[in-house]
Amino acid sequence: MLSMPKRASACLLALSLLLPLPALAQDKTVPASRTEMQLSFAPLVKRTAGAVVNVYAERVVQRSNPFAGDPFFEQFFGQRMPNRSEKQSSLGSGVIVSHDGLVVTNNHVIEGADDIKIALADGREFPCEVLLKDDSVDLAVLKIKAREDFPVLAIGNSDSVEVGDLVLAIGNPFGVGQTVTSGIVSALARTQVTDGDVGFFIQTDASINPGNSGGALMNMNGDLIGINTAIFSRGGGSNGIGFAIPANLVKVFLAAAEDGKKSFERPYVGATFQAVTSEVAEALGLKAARGALVVAVTRGSPADVAGLKPGEVVTAVNSIPVEHPDALAYRLTTVGLGRTAELTVEDSGRAKRLDMVLGTAPETVPRDERLLDGRNPFAGSRIANLSPKVATELHMPADKTGVVILDVARGSPAARLGFQPGDILVAVNGDAVTSTRAMEGMIRDNPGVWRVEIERGGQRIRQFFR
């Protein structure tokens, strides 16, 4: 029987073998004894938990008086029942990634917030500012307003993550306080998880609940491999299926914030893709139904310059396999703007490699933003000329042309009639809308009856207004 000192030293030896697991698959091991199964994550948690913070977001919401405008109530109560405002608070998590206080969290945690505070694990609170946020990738970078040397969590390489890897999730579920849960990576490259553009999530069975959003998904080296973002749940609690944004996308987003960018731009390809079905794979002579099928290529675009053609299938980026179009978009984004991506393309059963330079979407026509007013159905809408750059900003296909609604003022005639950002103005009273300037001219004279044709989500909608 081992004496206590020897047993303790054996446990420490086993712990040292377990915690610094190498990234190589052949070096990873499963517990081989009862002693190894009794090891603890506590040393790893103590070393890293200080870098996971609480994010408090507060917004002021205006509540309108339901009796406003009612002559009876105004006669008796006058202005004693004015519209009132109230504060709404939300709670999420975040991860400190730089010693000077840069924090990564989810955009939906701080969306619409008027005031944001960061609370450290030791209870201290600090104000912060938003450096960069983007709803399509659901990420935000905050800067703590304090001159301190903050604890950080190193950002790891999410491409080294494999199904079956042990992970820890750290956050503040339901506002109960910092909580650590453990599990494994249960799947990779999950799609259609959120409404945003990210179609490449790490799936884990580590318990993730409301409040964990923006928190850390960490490997056994203590590296950040993902930002916990969403759960699959019918009742609001954890069902063992949680999703995290991969760390390699976080790196690119963080770099944009550190460079002072005011918006997050993804590479412009100039091509449209669709998933490869089993029927398409059989018709094209592919061994498996995977990859991104090229449907169309815009002339002069990076895809066109690289030599990509409709009917070809992109199967890898920089030798990393691509399973579907969402994975292709993710891989190109993580390569980074200004760099060259090597595409592996299959055409008629033969594989070839193409180099594509990644740049931002061009503004081929001036956007010429205009705010429409007057007595017409479009009053209160802000419009612009469509270009690949504008279309990309609105998360629309880059080949769309015409005039698009950028924003609609709350309570305006355009809002009451149901116009939405992203609507393309096709025709007014039978005349095609060719530019913002032309649109402004069309609404100067009130014809009494308005015949409007718009395009929304690829569908044509025709309506009459008086």
PDB file of all heavy atoms in Angstrom, residues 174-191:
ATOM      1  N   PHE A 174     -28.093  31.932 -15.237  1.00  0.00           N
ATOM      2  CA  PHE A 174     -29.236  32.391 -14.445  1.00  0.00           C
ATOM      3  C   PHE A 174     -28.852  33.426 -13.384  1.00  0.00           C
ATOM      4  O   PHE A 174     -29.618  33.684 -12.455  1.00  0.00           O
ATOM      5  CB  PHE A 174     -29.933  31.203 -13.756  1.00  0.00           C
ATOM      6  CG  PHE A 174     -30.449  30.174 -14.712  1.00  0.00           C
ATOM      7  CD1 PHE A 174     -29.867  28.914 -14.782  1.00  0.00           C
ATOM      8  CD2 PHE A 174     -31.516  30.461 -15.551  1.00  0.00           C
ATOM      9  CE1 PHE A 174     -30.344  27.960 -15.665  1.00  0.00           C
ATOM     10  CE2 PHE A 174     -32.005  29.505 -16.433  1.00  0.00           C
ATOM     11  CZ  PHE A 174     -31.428  28.253 -16.490  1.00  0.00           C
ATOM     12  N   GLY A 175     -27.649  34.015 -13.484  1.00  0.00           N
ATOM     13  CA  GLY A 175     -27.225  35.018 -12.520  1.00  0.00           C
ATOM     14  C   GLY A 175     -26.903  34.480 -11.146  1.00  0.00           C
ATOM     15  O   GLY A 175     -26.843  35.237 -10.174  1.00  0.00           O
ATOM     16  N   VAL A 176     -26.659  33.162 -11.039  1.00  0.00           N
ATOM     17  CA  VAL A 176     -26.380  32.582  -9.716  1.00  0.00           C
ATOM     18  C   VAL A 176     -24.945  32.814  -9.276  1.00  0.00           C
ATOM     19  O   VAL A 176     -24.600  32.596  -8.122  1.00  0.00           O
ATOM     20  CB  VAL A 176     -26.681  31.064  -9.712  1.00  0.00           C
ATOM     21  CG1 VAL A 176     -28.132  30.798 -10.029  1.00  0.00           C
ATOM     22  CG2 VAL A 176     -25.776  30.320 -10.699  1.00  0.00           C
ATOM     23  N   GLY A 177     -24.078  33.248 -10.171  1.00  0.00           N
ATOM     24  CA  GLY A 177     -22.664  33.418  -9.859  1.00  0.00           C
ATOM     25  C   GLY A 177     -21.820  32.543 -10.772  1.00  0.00           C
ATOM     26  O   GLY A 177     -22.333  31.676 -11.480  1.00  0.00           O
ATOM     27  N   GLN A 178     -20.522  32.798 -10.745  1.00  0.00           N
ATOM     28  CA  GLN A 178     -19.648  32.068 -11.657  1.00  0.00           C
ATOM     29  C   GLN A 178     -19.769  30.560 -11.430  1.00  0.00           C
ATOM     30  O   GLN A 178     -19.691  30.074 -10.298  1.00  0.00           O
ATOM     31  CB  GLN A 178     -18.200  32.501 -11.478  1.00  0.00           C
ATOM     32  CG  GLN A 178     -17.283  31.927 -12.558  1.00  0.00           C
ATOM     33  CD  GLN A 178     -15.863  32.438 -12.454  1.00  0.00           C
ATOM     34  OE1 GLN A 178     -15.074  31.916 -11.685  1.00  0.00           O
ATOM     35  NE2 GLN A 178     -15.530  33.454 -13.242  1.00  0.00           N
ATOM     36  N   THR A 179     -19.948  29.847 -12.522  1.00  0.00           N
ATOM     37  CA  THR A 179     -20.193  28.409 -12.473  1.00  0.00           C
ATOM     38  C   THR A 179     -19.327  27.714 -13.505  1.00  0.00           C
ATOM     39  O   THR A 179     -19.171  28.199 -14.628  1.00  0.00           O
ATOM     40  CB  THR A 179     -21.682  28.110 -12.754  1.00  0.00           C
ATOM     41  OG1 THR A 179     -22.483  28.787 -11.768  1.00  0.00           O
ATOM     42  CG2 THR A 179     -21.965  26.621 -12.689  1.00  0.00           C
ATOM     43  N   VAL A 180     -18.783  26.565 -13.119  1.00  0.00           N
ATOM     44  CA  VAL A 180     -17.953  25.763 -14.016  1.00  0.00           C
ATOM     45  C   VAL A 180     -18.666  24.437 -14.278  1.00  0.00           C
ATOM     46  O   VAL A 180     -19.098  23.765 -13.346  1.00  0.00           O
ATOM     47  CB  VAL A 180     -16.566  25.494 -13.412  1.00  0.00           C
ATOM     48  CG1 VAL A 180     -15.717  24.675 -14.384  1.00  0.00           C
ATOM     49  CG2 VAL A 180     -15.869  26.799 -13.064  1.00  0.00           C
ATOM     50  N   THR A 181     -18.797  24.076 -15.541  1.00  0.00           N
ATOM     51  CA  THR A 181     -19.352  22.780 -15.919  1.00  0.00           C
ATOM     52  C   THR A 181     -18.380  22.086 -16.857  1.00  0.00           C
ATOM     53  O   THR A 181     -17.579  22.742 -17.545  1.00  0.00           O
ATOM     54  CB  THR A 181     -20.724  22.921 -16.603  1.00  0.00           C
ATOM     55  OG1 THR A 181     -20.598  23.792 -17.741  1.00  0.00           O
ATOM     56  CG2 THR A 181     -21.751  23.491 -15.651  1.00  0.00           C
ATOM     57  N   SER A 182     -18.443  20.777 -16.888  1.00  0.00           N
ATOM     58  CA  SER A 182     -17.522  20.011 -17.730  1.00  0.00           C
ATOM     59  C   SER A 182     -18.297  19.141 -18.698  1.00  0.00           C
ATOM     60  O   SER A 182     -19.474  18.830 -18.498  1.00  0.00           O
ATOM     61  CB  SER A 182     -16.610  19.131 -16.873  1.00  0.00           C
ATOM     62  OG  SER A 182     -17.376  18.130 -16.216  1.00  0.00           O
ATOM     63  N   GLY A 183     -17.625  18.739 -19.758  1.00  0.00           N
ATOM     64  CA  GLY A 183     -18.223  17.864 -20.748  1.00  0.00           C
ATOM     65  C   GLY A 183     -17.210  17.541 -21.823  1.00  0.00           C
ATOM     66  O   GLY A 183     -15.999  17.646 -21.601  1.00  0.00           O
ATOM     67  N   ILE A 184     -17.717  17.176 -22.969  1.00  0.00           N
ATOM     68  CA  ILE A 184     -16.859  16.897 -24.111  1.00  0.00           C
ATOM     69  C   ILE A 184     -17.341  17.669 -25.318  1.00  0.00           C
ATOM     70  O   ILE A 184     -18.459  18.183 -25.337  1.00  0.00           O
ATOM     71  CB  ILE A 184     -16.822  15.387 -24.452  1.00  0.00           C
ATOM     72  CG1 ILE A 184     -18.218  14.919 -24.897  1.00  0.00           C
ATOM     73  CG2 ILE A 184     -16.305  14.569 -23.289  1.00  0.00           C
ATOM     74  CD1 ILE A 184     -18.238  13.532 -25.505  1.00  0.00           C
ATOM     75  N   VAL A 185     -16.499  17.760 -26.318  1.00  0.00           N
ATOM     76  CA  VAL A 185     -16.921  18.276 -27.619  1.00  0.00           C
ATOM     77  C   VAL A 185     -17.712  17.162 -28.290  1.00  0.00           C
ATOM     78  O   VAL A 185     -17.191  16.080 -28.544  1.00  0.00           O
ATOM     79  CB  VAL A 185     -15.710  18.682 -28.482  1.00  0.00           C
ATOM     80  CG1 VAL A 185     -16.156  19.049 -29.894  1.00  0.00           C
ATOM     81  CG2 VAL A 185     -14.969  19.837 -27.839  1.00  0.00           C
ATOM     82  N   SER A 186     -18.994  17.418 -28.535  1.00  0.00           N
ATOM     83  CA  SER A 186     -19.857  16.372 -29.075  1.00  0.00           C
ATOM     84  C   SER A 186     -20.036  16.452 -30.587  1.00  0.00           C
ATOM     85  O   SER A 186     -20.492  15.489 -31.204  1.00  0.00           O
ATOM     86  CB  SER A 186     -21.224  16.394 -28.382  1.00  0.00           C
ATOM     87  OG  SER A 186     -21.743  17.703 -28.304  1.00  0.00           O
ATOM     88  N   ALA A 187     -19.687  17.584 -31.202  1.00  0.00           N
ATOM     89  CA  ALA A 187     -19.769  17.701 -32.660  1.00  0.00           C
ATOM     90  C   ALA A 187     -19.053  18.976 -33.082  1.00  0.00           C
ATOM     91  O   ALA A 187     -18.800  19.871 -32.265  1.00  0.00           O
ATOM     92  CB  ALA A 187     -21.218  17.717 -33.145  1.00  0.00           C
ATOM     93  N   LEU A 188     -18.719  19.070 -34.354  1.00  0.00           N
ATOM     94  CA  LEU A 188     -18.062  20.247 -34.927  1.00  0.00           C
ATOM     95  C   LEU A 188     -18.826  20.720 -36.154  1.00  0.00           C
ATOM     96  O   LEU A 188     -19.608  19.973 -36.747  1.00  0.00           O
ATOM     97  CB  LEU A 188     -16.614  19.924 -35.307  1.00  0.00           C
ATOM     98  CG  LEU A 188     -15.672  19.513 -34.174  1.00  0.00           C
ATOM     99  CD1 LEU A 188     -14.350  19.009 -34.757  1.00  0.00           C
ATOM    100  CD2 LEU A 188     -15.413  20.690 -33.232  1.00  0.00           C
ATOM    101  N   ALA A 189     -18.578  21.963 -36.525  1.00  0.00           N
ATOM    102  CA  ALA A 189     -19.115  22.541 -37.765  1.00  0.00           C
ATOM    103  C   ALA A 189     -20.632  22.469 -37.829  1.00  0.00           C
ATOM    104  O   ALA A 189     -21.212  22.200 -38.880  1.00  0.00           O
ATOM    105  CB  ALA A 189     -18.503  21.862 -38.988  1.00  0.00           C
ATOM    106  N   ARG A 190     -21.293  22.731 -36.704  1.00  0.00           N
ATOM    107  CA  ARG A 190     -22.754  22.731 -36.694  1.00  0.00           C
ATOM    108  C   ARG A 190     -23.281  23.985 -37.393  1.00  0.00           C
ATOM    109  O   ARG A 190     -22.739  25.079 -37.236  1.00  0.00           O
ATOM    110  CB  ARG A 190     -23.273  22.682 -35.263  1.00  0.00           C
ATOM    111  CG  ARG A 190     -23.128  21.331 -34.592  1.00  0.00           C
ATOM    112  CD  ARG A 190     -23.803  20.237 -35.378  1.00  0.00           C
ATOM    113  NE  ARG A 190     -24.025  19.050 -34.571  1.00  0.00           N
ATOM    114  CZ  ARG A 190     -24.131  17.832 -35.067  1.00  0.00           C
ATOM    115  NH1 ARG A 190     -24.034  17.637 -36.365  1.00  0.00           N
ATOM    116  NH2 ARG A 190     -24.350  16.806 -34.270  1.00  0.00           N
ATOM    117  N   THR A 191     -24.367  23.825 -38.140  1.00  0.00           N
ATOM    118  CA  THR A 191     -24.942  24.933 -38.909  1.00  0.00           C
ATOM    119  C   THR A 191     -26.363  25.220 -38.432  1.00  0.00           C
ATOM    120  O   THR A 191     -26.954  24.467 -37.679  1.00  0.00           O
ATOM    121  CB  THR A 191     -24.980  24.599 -40.404  1.00  0.00           C
ATOM    122  OG1 THR A 191     -25.840  23.457 -40.606  1.00  0.00           O
ATOM    123  CG2 THR A 191     -23.605  24.281 -40.929  1.00  0.00           C
TER     124      THR A 191
END
